[in-house]
Amino acid sequence: AAADPFSVLPGTLGRGSWCNEHDTIHKRLDIIEEKVIKTVEHLESEVKSLLNIIGETTANIPIAPGTPLTDIFDGKY
């Protein structure tokens, strides 16, 4: 039992140290998760803005008579 790090008795220094490290890791992961979510939301907003700009720009381009229309978004927008 002495070689097993998980069999340390509750309340001993080894257990407290492991729990503190575990809590610290979870707090760091929570911070990273929050940053990732904010980054994804920001990028999503930027992509929507760019797609709107592209859509407005292509709507204002004069088309020569007889030119076939092509959907640049191919129905994926």
Side-chain angles (χ1 to χ4, degrees), residues 20-37:
N20 289 340
E21 185 177 334
H22 183 78
D23 288 344
T24 300
I25 290 171
H26 273 282
K27 288 175 186 174
R28 288 180 181 171
L29 287 174
D30 289 343
I31 291 168
I32 291 169
E33 180 182 18
E34 184 178 330
K35 286 182 179 183
V36 167
I37 289 170

Side-chain angles (χ1 to χ4, degrees), residues 5-56:
F6 295 106
S7 66
V8 177
L9 296 174
T12 64
L13 179 61
R15 172 85 175 157
S17 175
W18 182 85
C19 285
N20 289 340
E21 185 177 334
H22 183 78
D23 288 344
T24 300
I25 290 171
H26 273 282
K27 288 175 186 174
R28 288 180 181 171
L29 287 174
D30 289 343
I31 291 168
I32 291 169
E33 180 182 18
E34 184 178 330
K35 286 182 179 183
V36 167
I37 289 170
K38 286 181 180 182
T39 301
V40 169
E41 289 171 350
H42 174 75
L43 290 173
E44 192 175 52
S45 173
E46 289 293 317
V47 168
K48 285 180 182 179
S49 294
L50 289 171
L51 289 174
N52 285 334
I53 291 169
I54 290 170
E56 291 169 3

Side-chain angles (χ1 to χ4, degrees), residues 63-69:
I63 300 173
T67 304
L69 298 177

